[in-house]
Amino acid sequence: MSKGVPRPAGPFVKAGQVRIFDTTLRDGEQAPGAGLTAAEKLEVARQLARLNVDVIEAGFPAASPGDFEAVRRIAQETKGGIAVAALARCRDGDPQRAIEAIKVAERPHLHVFIATSDIHLKHKLRIDREQALADAVRWVAYGREQLGRDAEIEFSAEDASRTDTDFLLQVYAAVVEAGASTVNIPDTVGYAIPAEFAALVGRVVELVGEAATVSVHCHNDLGLATANTLAAVQAGARQVEVTINGLGERAGNASLEEVVMALRTRPTQFGEAGSRVQTEQITPASRLVSYLTGFAIQPNKAIVGGNAFAHESGIHQDGVIKNPLTYEIMTPQSIGLSGSQLTIGKLSGRRGLQQKLRDLGHDVEGEALDEVYRQAIALADAKKEVTDADLRALMEQRAAEVPASVELVGWSVTSSHGGNAVGTVTLVVDGRERTTEATGNGPVDALFQAVDDALQPVLSWHPALAEYEIKAVSSGEDAQGQVLVRCRRSSDEGPGALVVTGHGLSTNIIEASIEAYLVAVNKLHGAEINGVSVAFVAPRIEEGLP
Ligand SMILES: [Zn+2]
């Protein structure tokens, strides 16, 4: 087919390269409870740029003004040949909104999709195949016309793996004619099996030839997302849609770190088709995403799990010491795990700190460095040694800063065995100082109650606590405590409710708890009073996405 269609110039994959399309900020962010602020999304986008992915899918601009703004800011800021993609349904309004958000990008990448499987057409969209085909062609052509010949126009056939193959190929042929430069094959529901999926990919590769890049987007419902993605690369796919830590709806997406490290570790299996990812940035990226979303990484997770490079059992350890290759197929350094857990004392200086942070994947200079230095020194006063884990926690805390309309002035609590706790807090709420006292069944409960009481005259809701977690940042009895809370507004219930995370960090766990609670309150408050600048993304739309 369409061999005669000239392939538009643009950010195509070079021969022998697999384009890494990261969708952590779009598909990953759809994971329930993963809602990020615009500032947090920007922070993740900066790390994805350091990781040197090829495409950052920044969001779904039609979902909310907050997501629009986040995508626009990422599009504005991202340089260095990295494309910024936005998702749109094939429906009047969506592509326009997406184009508006990404047209400022150095490399705009429009991603339009429509479902093509009979089950989705019948029960979700209530349209027939002809209509779906016509809509797909219409909006691909529109995108090409608006963004010009150099832009990347990607089309996804949602639920492709459950679509009638003849119809699927007909759709892909038509959208390539209409100007699509990438055709994506999503295994939206994680249904495919590697050999079967590779056969499908092979047929699409054969169909579109040189006219478009073939992409895949695999979900992990059967634990096969990475396997399916790699089988697709072997069958000729040259774009893979992946997320950091495999974050995503339900069981998540194919994980970036697994796919990238497989390509790198076994190049001959993929015809030497590698990626340009700076793999040393994988660990910082993984930690940042885990921290901001509040989703912990299981210890045995491939590549980025806490135990992935720990060779604990005696016999392995002996082998690894004699020659690491006995049990290590990748080095910890290759994914940015610094071997050292050396501590820094009070005298290591600003420059030493800067180098240490660089080793941990954080580039800090100027005023920001001064501030981190002050914080690190204060910490060194509070506890004997400041470890890598402490520094990482400090940097993470900075990444998650939110504008505060509610600030803590002070607190106190009394608590004893067998009795209630009584807590007092003083807050500044929208510029006015308020002190309240409350009782609870423990010190944290009493203080959270006091915060609720202080907020009560100002807000029409109170924060409803959905999750509370506490962990030590490092070992030792003077370790810092890191608290994670997840909250929603009491007035906002049901599956579509906006759920935010809040983090606190202190050598005093009660202080860390209040801090975390107030961060969540400020996010919820900000989302209410200002849908854009403190933007909460939460693209909760009723129908699914690819
Ligand atoms: Zn998806």
Side-chain angles (χ1 to χ4, degrees):
M1 62 129 283
S2 67
K3 295 279 191 218
V5 175
R7 181 169 160 160
F12 285 100
V13 263
K14 288 193 210 86
Q17 263 207 350
V18 177
R19 191 161 71 191
I20 305 296
F21 177 112
D22 180 280
T23 184
T24 306
L25 294 175
R26 199 280 295 168
D27 209 326
E29 221 255 345
Q30 276 163 240
L36 301 175
T37 66
E40 289 168 337
K41 286 187 91 167
L42 207 57
E43 198 64 42
V44 173
R46 288 179 188 138
Q47 180 57 31
L48 293 172
R50 286 190 281 269
L51 195 58
N52 208 28
V53 301
D54 297 278
V55 188
I56 297 172
E57 186 165 49
F60 179 29
S64 71
D67 212 19
F68 174 87
E69 187 58 22
V71 175
R72 202 184 57 81
R73 280 163 63 180
I74 292 168
Q76 225 158 25
E77 196 181 289
T78 305
K79 304 283 180 231
I82 298 170
V84 176
L87 184 70
R89 291 167 291 193
C90 287
R91 175 182 304 186
D92 196 17
D94 268 34
Q96 291 94 325
R97 217 43 196 147
I99 289 168
E100 186 65 28
I102 57 169
K103 66 180 183 197
V104 292
E106 191 179 280
R107 284 189 159 182
H109 181 131
L110 178 67
H111 181 191
V112 296
F113 79 96
I114 195 163
T116 50
S117 66
D118 289 333
I119 187 166
H120 277 226
L121 291 177
K122 183 160 176 236
H123 297 286
K124 186 177 97 168
L125 298 178
R126 299 199 173 85
I127 58 174
D128 59 17
R129 289 182 179 184
E130 287 63 41
Q131 186 63 51
L133 178 61
D135 289 346
V137 166
R138 176 183 172 196
W139 292 107
V140 164
Y142 176 83
R144 176 59 67 208
E145 183 195 300
Q146 294 293 310
L147 285 168
R149 65 189 295 273
D150 292 341
E152 189 67 34
I153 308 293
E154 171 170 347
F155 171 78
S156 279
E158 188 190 1
D159 204 19
S161 51
R162 292 194 301 170
T163 298
D164 172 69
T165 309
D166 290 337
F167 177 57
L168 185 66
L169 295 176
Q170 190 192 344
V171 172
Y172 286 141
V175 294
V176 171
E177 285 286 354
S181 45
T182 297
V183 289
N184 183 38
I185 310 171
D187 182 23
T188 305
V189 293
Y191 181 73
I193 301 294
E196 165 198 46
F197 193 58
L200 175 64
V201 170
R203 289 192 65 179
V204 179
V205 168
E206 195 181 85
L207 173 81
V208 303
E210 291 295 306
T213 303
V214 174
S215 167
V216 292
H217 175 110
C218 298
H219 277 271
N220 205 31
D221 299 68
L222 290 171
L224 293 172
T226 297
N228 283 329
T229 302
L230 293 172
V233 172
Q234 288 175 322
R238 283 297 175 267
Q239 173 175 290
V240 292
E241 302 197 355
V242 291
T243 61
I244 302 292
N245 300 339
L247 190 68
E249 278 199 289
R250 306 183 312 277
N253 288 64
S255 104
L256 179 145
E257 58 277 10
E258 292 173 13
V259 171
V260 163
M261 291 311 287
L263 294 177
R264 182 180 150 137
T265 305
R266 302 300 308 279
T268 56
Q269 289 294 308
F270 303 98
E272 308 288 338
S275 75
R276 55 173 204 154
V277 164
Q278 294 292 315
T279 58
E280 297 75 14
Q281 293 292 335
I282 284 177
T283 298
S286 166
R287 285 184 171 139
L288 179 69
V289 168
S290 167
Y291 178 79
L292 291 178
T293 57
F295 292 130
I297 300 164
Q298 75 199 56
N300 58 323
K301 165 79 177 67
I303 319 292
V304 293
N307 290 349
F309 287 89
H311 299 275
E312 299 283 340
S313 74
I315 184 158
H316 284 205
Q317 207 155 46
D318 183 53
V320 169
I321 289 165
K322 285 180 181 140
N323 181 349
L325 292 179
T326 44
Y327 286 96
E328 267 180 16
I329 58 166
M330 304 162 268
T331 65
Q333 291 77 21
S334 68
I335 60 147
L337 258 187
S338 91
S340 84
Q341 287 293 330
L342 300 181
T343 57
I344 65 160
K346 284 183 215 180
L347 297 172
S348 35
R350 229 169 136 274
R351 211 165 257 283
L353 177 69
Q354 188 177 31
Q355 188 50 49
K356 185 81 215 173
L357 290 171
R358 208 165 273 155
D359 293 345
L360 296 174
H362 299 281
D363 239 326
V364 195
E365 49 191 21
E367 264 175 51
L369 178 62
D370 292 341
E371 204 183 316
V372 180
Y373 186 63
R374 271 195 302 277
Q375 288 171 319
I377 293 293
L379 192 58
D381 283 331
K383 67 198 287 283
K384 285 194 290 287
E385 21 186 52
V386 179
T387 65
D388 286 5
D390 286 317
L391 290 178
R392 269 198 304 268
L394 273 184
M395 292 308 297
E396 286 168 350
Q397 191 74 9
R398 292 177 57 80
E401 269 170 17
V402 282
S405 50
V406 181
E407 278 177 287
L408 181 68
V409 178
W411 60 271
S412 69
V413 70
T414 56
S415 171
S416 60
H417 177 68
N420 274 337
V422 180
T424 307
V425 293
T426 303
L427 301 178
V428 174
V429 185
D430 287 342
R432 289 222 316 273
E433 193 168 299
R434 295 182 48 81
T435 299
T436 45
E437 186 185 281
T439 54
N441 58 21
V444 172
D445 184 46
L447 287 166
F448 283 8
Q449 188 56 53
V451 169
D452 289 0
D453 292 349
L455 296 174
Q456 206 256 321
V458 184
L459 305 179
S460 57
W461 45 270
H462 65 84
L465 187 67
E467 206 175 313
Y468 173 87
E469 257 178 52
I470 183 158
K471 66 171 189 191
V473 165
S474 52
S475 54
E477 56 192 31
D478 59 356
Q480 294 192 94
Q482 195 172 50
V483 171
L484 164 75
V485 299
R486 260 185 236 282
C487 289
R488 58 176 173 80
R489 289 191 284 259
S490 57
S491 54
D492 192 8
E493 273 174 287
L498 172 63
V499 178
V500 301
T501 58
H503 289 90
L505 179 69
S506 172
T507 46
N508 179 329
I509 55 163
I510 307 233
E511 172 103 10
S513 302
I514 308 184
E515 245 180 50
Y517 198 57
L518 289 179
V519 168
V521 166
N522 275 311
K523 284 185 178 182
L524 291 170
H525 188 37
E528 185 182 61
I529 58 169
N530 186 347
V532 175
S533 73
V534 202
F536 273 89
V537 173
R540 303 282 165 247
I541 59 159
E542 301 204 345
E543 69 257 59
L545 298 174

